[in-house]
Amino acid sequence: MVCGRADLILSGHDHTLQVLEPTARTAGTRQIVSGAAAKSGDGRAHFDHPAAWQNFSDVGFMVLKVSERAMTVDTYTVDVPARTAHLAHTTTTSTAVEGRSAVR
């Protein structure tokens, strides 16, 4: 319903952190899944969708920064006993001439 009509889908899940690549199946829509603040998973992907980055074994969070020129998603994993967050991955997109997103 939304794929191909939106540049980006933001969603949560209780044990994954994912930056999923746009594909023909998603009609060019990028998917960001940020929801690992509650628990960690088994560390394995259970599907074959291409990802710029994903983590199924650590808790964490994402910070989304949007401007007229770019969108950046900073993904952090958290060392719970030490109460510290570590930058694990950054994805930056810029708007192409056609109005679609391109990853840098």
Side-chain angles (χ1 to χ4, degrees):
M1 183 71 138
V2 175
C3 289
R5 296 181 178 183
D7 292 327
L8 178 69
I9 295 174
L10 301 172
S11 64
H13 192 279
D14 62 351
H15 56 272
T16 65
L17 293 165
Q18 298 170 282
V19 179
L20 301 174
E21 293 292 344
T23 64
R25 183 173 178 224
T26 65
T29 299
R30 177 176 306 282
Q31 299 175 63
I32 306 291
V33 183
S34 176
K39 67 180 181 178
S40 59
D42 61 10
R44 297 176 301 151
H46 297 277
F47 58 90
D48 61 359
H49 190 99
W53 185 86
Q54 57 190 358
N55 184 309
F56 296 92
S57 60
D58 295 311
V59 295
F61 60 95
M62 294 179 175
V63 176
L64 174 66
K65 302 171 196 170
V66 180
S67 73
E68 291 179 11
R69 296 178 184 245
M71 177 189 80
T72 301
V73 178
D74 291 329
T75 305
Y76 293 84
T77 56
V78 176
D79 179 338
V80 176
R83 295 183 175 200
T84 56
H86 306 280
L87 180 63
H89 178 79
T90 297
T91 296
T92 300
T93 64
S94 61
T95 304
V97 177
E98 307 284 329
R100 299 298 293 176
S101 298
V103 174
R104 286 192 297 190

